């Protein structure tokens, strides 16, 4: 199954819905960063939630999500232009914890909950819009649900999951977001609460072959109206030219040291792991541009 996202509406329940499958792009991120299972789950859950949040925007604004809960994984960062393309990384890709009672990946332990979830929206204005909320559990889904309620006053159900095989490959990844519209009634709230009781894990449903549409239909039946779909992919837009522009901001003495002492420099992209070589001539050109 290809990676894609759907956006829909359930008029009868005053609810807007989003669902996605992200197995391939999370596997690509795993390969780029050599992610261990818990790191794959943390980054995959964050990527799925970020992509669905991006689908809520009407224009291709740049959206950056940063999670840091003080756990061993460090920072989890994802960024998208709300066009279905996403990139991201974690501070320490080599973390792996499981819960003793269930054996499931302990993403909350990996991420920690003594920190914040930050969302930066760059809409092309003078300053980007930044929102911060304290982390609740570090399990990602709960934290995004809290973000929507605390920062945007939108009651939401956020379910994201990643299933990892014994060989570290990602078997399934994706999720759904259900958001009550302002005209939602107590009956609508009760309906969602009842439907979410004992609802299967989204990663298990995706691994069984369920599509995002079929998962939403399990909740809303034929009341669901799909409005749009969007292909998803892991894509990094780094380039040597972009790193050149970044290096122009370095102090001149640092550039001179790279030229005369190191005789060159190697720069690695945090998002995709690609490296770029700068020889003495490249660095001198950058220095001259200052």
């Amino acid at each position: 199954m290809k990676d894609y996202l759907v956006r829909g509406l359930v008029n009868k329940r005053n609810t807007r819905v989003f669902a996605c499958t992200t197995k391939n792009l999370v596997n690509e991120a795993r390969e780029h960063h050599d992610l261990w299972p818990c790191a794959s789950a943390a980054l995959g859950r964050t990527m799925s939630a970020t992509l669905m949040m991006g689908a809520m925007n009407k224009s291709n604004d740049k959206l950056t999500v940063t999670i840091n809960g003080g756990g061993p994984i460090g920072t989890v960062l994802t960024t998208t232009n709300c066009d279905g393309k996403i990139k991201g990384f974690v501070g320490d890709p080599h973390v792996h914890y499981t819960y003793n009672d269930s054996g499931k990946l302990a993403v909350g332990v990996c991420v920690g909950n003594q920190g914040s979830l930050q969302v930066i929206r760059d809409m092309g204005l003078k300053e980007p819009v930044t929102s911060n909320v304290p982390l609740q559990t570090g399990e990602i889904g709960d934290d995004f649900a809290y973000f929507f309620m605390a920062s945007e006053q939108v009651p939401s159900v956020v379910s994201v999951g990643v299933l990892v095989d014994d060989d570290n490959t990602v078997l399934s990844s994706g999720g759904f977001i259900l958001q009550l519209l302002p005209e939602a009634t107590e009956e609508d709230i009760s309906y969602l609460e009842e439907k979410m009781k004992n609802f299967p894990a989204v990663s298990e449903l995706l691994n069984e072959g369920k599509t995002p549409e079929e998962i939403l239909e399990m909740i809303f039946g034929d009341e669901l109206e799909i409005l749009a779909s969007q292909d998803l992919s892991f894509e990094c837009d780094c380039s040597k030219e972009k790193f050149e522009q970044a290096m122009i901001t370095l102090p001149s003495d640092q550039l001179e040291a790279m030229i005369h002492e190191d005789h060159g420099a190697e720069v690695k992209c945090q998002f995709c792991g690609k490296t770029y070589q700068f020889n003495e001539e490249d660095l001198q050109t950058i220095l001259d541009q200052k």
Side-chain angles (χ1 to χ4, degrees), residues 20-39:
C20 66
T21 174
T22 57
K23 169 186 169 181
N24 300 313
L25 67 87
V26 176
N27 258 321
E28 189 167 348
R30 177 188 62 82
E31 292 171 359
H32 279 305
H33 300 302
D34 188 31
L35 300 173
W36 289 8
C38 214

Side-chain angles (χ1 to χ4, degrees), residues 67-83:
I67 296 174
N68 198 319
I73 200 172
T75 297
V76 181
L77 190 148
T78 58
T79 182
T80 178
N81 287 325
C82 304
D83 55 359

